[in-house]
């Protein structure tokens, strides 16, 4: 596939001081003005009357011409009144439009900002002229223009009938001026030539569109939108319902599979759509029509598609991937672009300082490593986009949603379900779910530390003294460390540093003999190693020689600033890069390693040159999935080889039946759970703040769970430390203790020393911290039996281990408004964490209809007797070491959990 030009990208890496208050992104959507494009239809056709059209056997589309025309999609039901619209348009308002716009990108160390320039070719009307259902016989005949225009291809699995809707998007150029968007001042269309202005009629922009609806499963309807080439007509009586004029060159079909980049491209051809019924305007000859068209050197293409549809004022929106500041998004404009989450993300003064010293590195409420173009609502409506293009979900209008897609076509799915759990199960059925984790990773604490062999052995002795259940040591500095301006950082050359970890194999073997695994660290980037004396393999040089690194415009390895040094990135669109990196992982595992952090994946430059030739902006969002995939493929291949080896020895009892590998990632996109085994939330600040501290870790955990990332956790205590004379964010003991209590109820309980270990309180810093770590590890151990069941549910149905209450109490408005205040573990446990400094009590909310909840430490019961008027709220003591944890009264899970706490001498 040939590459199209990337957006013009401005690099902001090297400025010493920057604007601490960068412009907010994204820019307003082009069509978010009050004067919305209108909808029309031929009054003399069958569309003048309401009509139902079948979509497969389970769904139907209803056309209603009243109030200007609207369409709604619903599931077929026995009673007409019981049908609920899964998706519906705003009466009389166009639900499809397009535009052409240039885009500029700003980039700095994994942070990105995309801004649109002047927009052109903005239609102000949508005309619907045909809606038709097609059956298998129609598809097999293969001669229908509508099916060809919609690029439909039938298969044995196709569920007929499929539905095609077609018409025109149009804009009549105002006399002497171009139509424009009143809300953002963006001009739509081209300035008429002076010769055209003296003609018999104003120019009319028109382009044909095709919308295809197809039942994909019992709970999903796929939709695709194609927009053909545009043309300008000049007939004095130009009618939007009339098909476009013919073109002697450039057919629409030739463009259906082409995806223009975000940057406007110059083309030598004039864009004119073709149609079976098209004819030349009788009042103009071919030369007169050409005179009104843009000159070839300025020809443009549609590279934006807008979908606009109805929403109710009280509808709440959840999802959009792993978000850290919000659980609900009504009233917001949500961009879907993978990038660094930022340092502070609006919390002050750290965001101000981060932006000052590194452009946009502070982030904002919407920046995240793992977004997803997916949502579900309180009205049980759900939709997701299937491609990787940059998109913006505009929820700022109370009565509608508008999606702006940076492409010339759209594919997605509309989901059906009567509850959030049904919607989430349907969603993950098509996007993918993680595998069942090996039990060793969830059997005890994962001890994250650094320092070398002697330090690890010393801390190991301390943990044994406190009888801490440990599943693994995670040693991210196995490759060696170097001092940089932001602290101790790793050498990104994925081999063990024998000087830092002398006797590496002995250490790994000794831990394994006690049932403790060893985990390490890697990422898809490499650095030159000429400054490290004991390097055995220079992986950067190897990859450069093989040609498997991302390239810049000159065809050289793209060296990108990352924190304090430059890195090159593996081009994972190249299959050879996959094979090469698997060999790196093989060497790591052959030394006894059982798992690793697969870091980064969010920083692919937007002007990169890739082996596949694909648009780098879409590849940017796809890269985290490619990164997870290469790790997952290796883990699966290794597992298969171990199973084969066991079969050959005929002595399987000698092998560990739970000997799988585990890796965890932070970057992701829609289908990452198909490949990633486990997520972690990246680099939170070591603070109590809401946007990038302990509170944000709970929001990220729960929002990710509502978005198809069911296995997730955070660094206990946070990561980002700042220790400057006038700006200090250092992990206090209280913060560490409270963060441990939260993480004792996530799928993995793992510590991290942070980027400046000496400035932070660590679990081994004091006897109090060690005792508390041991206590939390035992609490985590006590529900291991239930955790294994929930991991199975995640693999089978996509349901998260830690759950927002909305999943099980969706009609409760108080639940809908919750962010980080409390969460469920499965359905049988509820946690109300302390997330504020100096607090020793929390306010717990018990939803109506949920039965009674029993406090783990006191045995007191709450809720249960509440009627239909609402839930029950109570102030509950939660001193350090005794977090507010409840189990469902009478639950066998709760009884066993409490029994295990007694056995472990925690209760």
């Amino acid at each position: 596939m040939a590459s199209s030009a990337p957006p013009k990208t401005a690099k902001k890496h090297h400025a010493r001081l920057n604007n601490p208050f960068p412009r907010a992104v994204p820019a307003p959507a082009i069509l978010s003005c009050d004067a919305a494009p209108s909808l029309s239809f031929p009054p003399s056709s069958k569309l003048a009357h309401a009509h139902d059209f079948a979509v497969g056997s389970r769904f139907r589309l209803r056309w209603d011409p009243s109030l200007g025309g609207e369409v709604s999609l619903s599931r077929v039901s026995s009673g007409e009144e019981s049908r609920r619209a899964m998706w519906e348009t705003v009466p009389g308002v166009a639900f499809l439009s397009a535009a052409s716009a240039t885009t500029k990108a700003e980039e700095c160390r994994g942070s990105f900002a995309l801004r649109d320039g002047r927009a052109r070719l903005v239609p102000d009307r949508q005309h619907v002229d045909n809606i038709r259902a097609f059956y298998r016989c129609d598809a097999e005949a293969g001669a229908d223009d509508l099916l060809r225009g919609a690029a439909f291809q039938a298969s044995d699995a196709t569920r007929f009938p499929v539905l095609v809707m077609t018409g025109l998007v149009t804009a009549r150029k105002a006399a002497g001026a171009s139509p424009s968007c009143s809300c953002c001042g963006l001009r739509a269309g081209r300035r008429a030539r002076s010769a055209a202005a003296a003609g018999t009629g104003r120019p009319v922009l028109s382009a044909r569109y095709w919308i295809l609806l197809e039942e994909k499963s019992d709970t999903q309807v796929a939709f695709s939108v194609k927009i053909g080439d545009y043309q300008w007509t000049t007939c004095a009586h130009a009618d939007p319902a009339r098909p476009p004029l013919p073109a002697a060159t450039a057919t629409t079909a030739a463009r259906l599979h082409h995806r223009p980049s975000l940057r406007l491209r110059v083309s030598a051809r004039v864009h004119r759509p073709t149609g079976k019924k098209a004819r030349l305007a009788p009042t103009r000859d071919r030369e007169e029509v050409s005179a009104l068209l843009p000159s070839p050197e300025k020809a443009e293409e549609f590279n934006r598609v807008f979908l606009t549809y109805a929403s109710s004022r009280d509808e709440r929106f959840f999802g959009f991937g792993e978000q850290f500041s919000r659980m609900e998004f009504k009233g917001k404009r949500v961009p879907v672009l993978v990038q660094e989450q930022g340092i502070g993300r609006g919390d002050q003064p750290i965001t101000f300082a981060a932006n000052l010293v590194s452009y946009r590195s502070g982030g904002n409420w919407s920046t995240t490593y793992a977004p997803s173009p997916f949502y579900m609502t309180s009205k049980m409506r759900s939709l997701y986009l299937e491609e990787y293009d940059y998109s913006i979900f505009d929820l700022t209008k109370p009565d509608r949603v508008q999606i702006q897609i940076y492409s010339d076509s759209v594919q997605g799915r509309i989901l059906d379900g009567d509850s959030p759990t049904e919607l989430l199960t349907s969603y993950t059925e098509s996007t993918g779910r993680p595998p069942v984790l090996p039990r060793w990773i969830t059997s005890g604490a994962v001890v994250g530390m650094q320092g070398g062999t002697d330090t690890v052995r010393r801390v190991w002795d301390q943990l044994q003294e406190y009888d801490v259940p440990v599943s693994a040591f995670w040693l991210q500095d196995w490759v060696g460390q170097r001092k940089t301006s932001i602290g101790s950082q790793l050498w990104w050359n994925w081999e063990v540093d024998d000087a830092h970890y002398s006797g590496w194999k002995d250490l790994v073997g000794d831990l394994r003999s006690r049932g403790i695994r060893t985990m390490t660290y890697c990422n898809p980037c490499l650095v030159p190693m000429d400054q490290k004396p004991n390097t055995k393999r220079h992986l950067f040089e190897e990859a450069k020689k093989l040609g498997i690194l991302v390239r810049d415009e000159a065809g050289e390895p793209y060296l990108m600033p990352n924190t304090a040094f430059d890195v090159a990135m593996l081009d994972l669109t190249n299959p050879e890069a996959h094979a090469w990196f698997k060999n790196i992982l093989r060497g790591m595992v052959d030394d006894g390693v059982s798992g690793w952090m697969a870091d980064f994946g969010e920083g692919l430059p937007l002007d990169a040159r890739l082996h596949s030739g694909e648009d780098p902006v879409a590849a940017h969002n796809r890269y985290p999935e490619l990164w997870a995939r290469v790790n997952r493929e290796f883990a699966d291949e290794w597992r298969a080889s171990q199973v084969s080896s066991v079969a050959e020895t005929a002595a399987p009892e000698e092998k560990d039946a739970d000997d799988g590998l585990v890796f965890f990632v932070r970057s992701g996109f829609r289908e990452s759970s198909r490949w990633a085994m486990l997520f972690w939330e990246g680099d939170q600040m070591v603070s109590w703040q809401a946007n990038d501290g302990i509170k944000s870790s709970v929001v990220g955990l729960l929002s990710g769970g509502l978005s198809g990332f069911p296995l997730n956790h955070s660094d206990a205590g946070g990561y980002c430390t700042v220790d400057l004379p006038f700006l200090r964010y250092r992990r206090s003991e209280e913060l560490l203790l409270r963060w441990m209590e939260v993480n004792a109820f996530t799928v993995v309980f793992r510590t991290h020393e942070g980027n400046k270990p000496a400035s932070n309180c660590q679990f081994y810093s004091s006897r109090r911290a060690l005792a508390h770590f041991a206590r939390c590890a035992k609490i985590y151990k006590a529900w291991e039996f239930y955790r294994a069941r929930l991991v199975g549910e995640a693999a089978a149905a996509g349901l998260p281990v830690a759950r927002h209450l909305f999943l099980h109490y969706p009609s409760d408005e108080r639940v809908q408004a919750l962010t980080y205040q409390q969460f469920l573990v499965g359905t049988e446990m509820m946690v109300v964490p302390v997330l504020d400094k100096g607090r020793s009590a929390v306010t717990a909310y018990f939803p109506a209809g949920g039965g009674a909840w029993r406090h783990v430490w006191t045995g007191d019961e709450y809720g249960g007797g509440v009627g239909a008027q609402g839930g029950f709220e109570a102030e509950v003591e939660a001193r350090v070491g005794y977090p507010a944890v409840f189990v469902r009264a009478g639950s066998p899970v709760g009884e066993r959990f409490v029994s295990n706490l007694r056995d472990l001498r925690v209760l």
Side-chain angles (χ1 to χ4, degrees):
M1 180 174 61
S3 175
S4 54
K8 184 177 180 181
T9 303
K11 305 294 184 179
K12 303 285 188 176
H13 301 306
H14 303 297
R16 290 180 178 270
L17 294 177
N18 299 276
N19 179 5
F21 301 107
R23 284 190 297 163
V25 289
I30 292 172
L31 298 181
S32 63
C33 45
D34 293 330
S38 62
L39 187 68
S40 65
F41 54 91
S44 59
S45 71
K46 68 177 183 180
L47 295 181
H49 307 283
H51 194 77
D52 283 355
F53 301 88
V55 181
S57 62
R58 294 179 177 269
F59 303 95
R60 69 182 65 179
L61 185 83
R62 181 168 181 81
W63 164 261
D64 187 347
S66 64
L67 302 177
E70 65 177 313
V71 293
S72 60
L73 180 70
S74 60
R75 181 179 59 199
V76 174
S77 60
S78 56
E80 195 72 17
E81 295 182 358
S82 64
R83 292 195 309 170
R84 173 179 54 84
M86 301 157 52
W87 180 89
E88 59 189 329
T89 64
V90 181
V93 175
F95 49 89
L96 175 64
S97 191
S100 176
T102 57
T103 298
K104 292 183 179 180
E106 296 172 343
E107 177 180 330
C108 183
R109 292 178 171 84
S111 297
F112 302 89
L114 276 69
R115 290 190 178 88
D116 281 343
R118 183 177 180 180
R120 299 177 181 270
L121 311 176
V122 184
D124 58 9
R125 171 183 277 192
Q126 178 190 357
H127 186 83
V128 181
D129 60 28
N130 199 354
I131 304 175
R132 182 177 167 188
F134 291 89
Y135 294 81
R136 186 171 295 276
C137 59
D138 301 312
E140 291 173 350
D144 193 278
D145 288 345
L146 288 185
L147 287 178
R148 286 201 304 268
F152 172 71
Q153 294 182 343
S155 68
D156 293 340
T158 300
R159 299 184 176 190
F160 287 97
V162 299
L163 197 69
V164 178
M165 183 184 309
T166 189
L168 299 176
V169 288
T170 65
R172 185 185 297 273
K173 184 173 291 186
S178 298
S180 62
C181 173
S182 62
C183 72
C184 50
L186 296 176
R187 298 167 68 89
R190 295 176 174 278
R191 184 176 298 278
R193 295 188 177 187
S194 58
T200 59
R202 288 177 293 166
V204 175
L205 168 75
S206 62
R208 181 156 293 280
Y209 66 84
W210 297 264
I211 300 175
L212 174 70
L213 295 174
E214 179 184 356
E215 179 184 310
K216 284 293 186 181
S217 73
D218 292 350
T219 59
Q220 295 190 7
V221 174
F223 65 90
S224 64
V225 178
K226 305 287 185 183
I227 299 181
D229 296 334
Y230 69 86
Q231 74 162 26
W232 291 101
T233 59
T234 59
C235 176
H237 304 290
D239 183 355
R242 178 180 295 173
L245 298 180
T249 62
T251 64
T252 297
R255 293 183 59 245
L256 288 179
H257 298 291
H258 170 70
R259 306 184 66 77
S261 74
L262 299 188
R263 186 178 180 183
L264 213 64
R265 300 190 306 130
V266 176
S267 173
R269 61 186 175 93
V270 174
H271 301 292
R272 305 176 190 168
T274 59
K276 185 176 180 180
K277 299 180 181 179
R279 60 184 182 273
L280 287 175
T283 59
R284 300 274 181 178
D285 61 21
R286 197 174 296 268
E287 287 75 16
E288 288 176 311
V289 172
S290 298
L292 290 162
L293 295 171
S295 57
E297 66 271 15
K298 294 183 180 179
E300 299 174 354
E301 295 175 331
F302 287 126
N303 59 7
R304 300 289 186 279
V305 178
F306 300 86
L307 299 178
T308 304
Y309 49 94
S311 169
S312 59
R313 292 178 178 271
D314 60 344
E315 190 168 18
R316 296 177 181 263
F317 287 73
F318 303 89
F320 297 109
E322 183 184 64
Q323 299 286 334
F324 294 98
S325 294
R326 299 183 65 88
M327 284 300 309
E328 197 277 312
F329 296 90
K330 186 75 168 183
K332 291 293 183 179
R333 188 174 289 113
V334 187
V336 182
L337 183 70
V338 173
Q339 61 179 310
E340 287 274 356
Q341 71 167 14
I343 302 173
R345 307 180 67 258
D347 292 334
Q348 299 297 355
I350 183 60
T351 305
F352 177 97
N355 285 336
L356 185 67
V357 301
S358 182
Y359 185 74
R360 301 198 68 86
S361 65
N364 59 50
W365 71 267
S366 69
T367 49
T368 171
Y369 303 109
S372 181
F374 161 82
Y375 67 77
M376 66 173 74
T377 81
S378 57
K379 304 296 183 183
M380 299 306 112
R381 295 194 272 208
S382 183
L383 176 149
Y384 73 91
L385 303 181
E386 293 187 278
E387 298 296 329
Y388 295 90
D389 305 294
Y390 177 47
S391 60
I392 301 171
F393 287 72
D394 190 343
L395 310 176
T396 56
K397 299 294 183 182
D399 67 336
R400 69 195 62 183
V401 175
Q402 183 184 97
I403 312 177
Q404 178 179 347
I405 302 99
Y406 281 51
S407 178
D408 65 342
S409 63
V410 187
Q411 294 78 42
R413 298 199 182 185
I414 300 168
L415 309 183
D416 175 56
D418 293 326
S419 68
T421 55
E422 288 184 8
L423 292 172
L424 190 56
T425 298
S426 173
Y427 172 61
T428 58
E429 183 178 19
S430 55
T431 59
R433 298 162 181 158
V436 173
L437 295 174
R439 286 289 292 271
W440 65 261
I441 187 68
T442 59
S443 65
V446 177
V447 180
M449 60 172 300
Q450 304 174 81
T453 302
D454 292 342
T455 301
V456 172
R457 291 189 179 276
R458 174 177 53 79
V459 172
W460 184 16
D461 289 341
Q462 290 178 295
L463 294 172
Q464 292 179 82
E465 178 185 348
Y466 281 79
D467 193 27
V468 180
V470 175
S471 65
F473 272 81
W474 173 56
L475 309 175
Q476 69 167 15
D477 65 336
W478 72 295
V479 293
Q481 290 180 317
R482 54 172 157 173
K483 297 294 183 182
T484 70
S485 60
I486 69 167
S488 296
Q489 292 187 273
L490 310 178
W491 284 106
W492 291 6
N493 191 67
W494 315 121
E495 62 178 12
V496 66
D497 186 321
D498 292 327
H500 193 51
Y501 278 97
S502 59
W504 171 255
K505 289 188 177 181
D506 290 339
L507 174 64
V508 172
D510 289 348
L511 290 170
R512 184 61 177 270
S513 68
R514 298 292 296 272
I516 299 174
R517 308 299 181 107
T518 301
M519 304 182 76
T520 55
Y521 172 98
C522 66
N523 67 54
C525 301
L526 302 167
V527 297
M529 298 297 293
D530 50 299
Q531 297 181 14
K532 189 171 187 289
N534 62 336
T535 302
K536 297 183 284 293
R537 291 181 65 183
H538 291 260
L539 299 184
F540 169 82
E541 296 297 335
E542 288 184 27
K544 180 180 178 181
K545 186 176 181 179
L546 290 171
I548 58 175
L549 296 174
V550 171
R551 293 171 289 117
D552 59 19
E553 292 183 355
E556 296 298 318
Y558 201 134
L559 288 174
M560 300 164 285
N562 185 288
T563 60
F565 48 85
D566 292 347
V567 303
M569 203 168 187
L570 286 173
D571 185 349
L572 295 180
T573 70
N574 187 341
E576 292 185 13
H578 285 234
W580 181 81
F581 196 77
K582 287 178 185 178
N583 285 331
I584 303 300
L585 295 175
R586 168 66 66 177
M588 185 170 67
V589 173
D590 284 348
D591 282 346
V593 170
S594 296
W596 59 94
M597 172 188 280
D599 201 0
F600 286 88
E602 63 280 339
L604 182 70
L606 302 183
D607 57 350
R609 296 296 184 267
L610 301 171
H611 173 80
S612 64
E614 64 191 275
D615 172 20
V617 177
H620 173 87
N621 278 342
R622 191 165 76 96
Y623 194 94
E625 293 181 9
L626 295 174
W627 171 229
R629 180 172 183 171
V630 67
N631 286 272
R632 174 65 179 280
E633 286 179 349
F634 171 75
D636 289 349
E637 290 163 6
W638 184 90
R639 178 68 171 169
S641 69
Q642 295 300 108
V643 171
S644 176
S645 176
V646 168
E648 291 176 2
T649 62
E653 68 278 1
E654 297 179 3
K655 297 293 293 182
D656 188 342
D658 186 35
D659 203 30
L661 303 175
V662 176
F663 68 93
F664 50 105
V665 302
R666 76 175 183 184
S667 63
F669 203 67
R670 179 189 59 249
E671 295 190 9
S672 285
S673 285
R674 185 184 303 279
W675 306 109
M677 301 183 77
L678 174 67
F679 278 83
W680 106 99
E681 297 179 62
D683 303 340
Q684 279 77 47
M685 294 294 301
V686 292
S687 78
W688 299 95
Q689 291 176 294
N691 290 298
D692 194 20
I694 187 172
K695 297 179 181 69
S696 73
S697 75
V698 179
V699 177
L701 180 72
L702 304 183
S703 63
L706 288 177
S707 302
F709 305 148
L711 303 179
N712 202 352
H713 69 294
S714 68
D715 299 329
Y719 172 82
C720 287
T721 306
V722 179
D723 195 3
L724 300 173
F726 299 103
L727 187 66
R728 283 192 169 138
Y729 287 80
R730 298 182 295 187
R731 182 195 297 161
S732 67
E733 183 178 72
E734 183 185 2
L735 177 67
L736 176 61
L737 302 188
R738 289 305 194 182
W739 212 315
M740 287 179 184
E741 291 175 358
V742 174
N743 283 18
F745 294 95
T746 62
V747 65
V748 170
F749 179 43
R750 180 180 56 82
T751 66
H752 198 310
E753 292 184 323
N755 63 309
K756 292 182 178 289
S759 299
N760 289 331
C761 177
Q762 307 294 348
F763 69 86
Y764 50 77
S765 295
S766 67
R767 298 192 69 84
R768 184 190 183 202
L770 258 171
H772 188 79
F773 179 51
R775 179 178 178 82
C776 289
K778 290 174 182 177
I779 293 172
Y780 175 78
K781 182 73 174 178
W783 64 282
E784 179 184 3
F785 70 97
Y786 188 43
R787 188 160 55 248
R789 190 172 106 187
L790 296 178
V791 168
E793 287 186 15
L799 300 179
V801 172
R803 304 176 184 179
H804 193 278
L805 273 70
F806 174 71
L807 270 179
H808 299 290
Y809 305 96
S811 61
D812 190 319
E813 293 186 1
R814 174 71 182 272
V815 163
Q816 294 172 10
L818 292 174
T819 53
Y820 49 73
Q821 292 85 356
Q822 61 191 82
F823 60 92
L824 296 171
V825 179
T827 58
E828 306 303 293
M829 299 167 62
M830 186 164 63
V831 181
V832 188
V834 173
L835 303 175
D836 289 298
K837 182 178 179 180
R839 292 288 303 275
S840 59
V842 294
T843 300
Y845 177 71
F846 304 93
W853 292 87
R854 183 157 61 94
H855 191 269
V856 166
W857 311 115
T858 66
D860 296 339
E861 290 193 5
Y862 298 85
V866 179
Q869 294 184 351
F872 175 77
E873 186 178 280
E875 191 83 1
V876 180
E877 184 182 22
R879 65 186 189 277
V880 172
Y882 297 87
V885 182
F886 305 85
V887 295
R888 197 178 296 279
S891 164
V893 169
E895 292 175 0
R896 185 174 174 184
F897 174 51
V898 171
S899 176
N900 289 346
L901 289 174
R902 292 194 184 98
D903 293 342
L904 291 166
R905 299 182 180 179
V906 175
L907 184 62

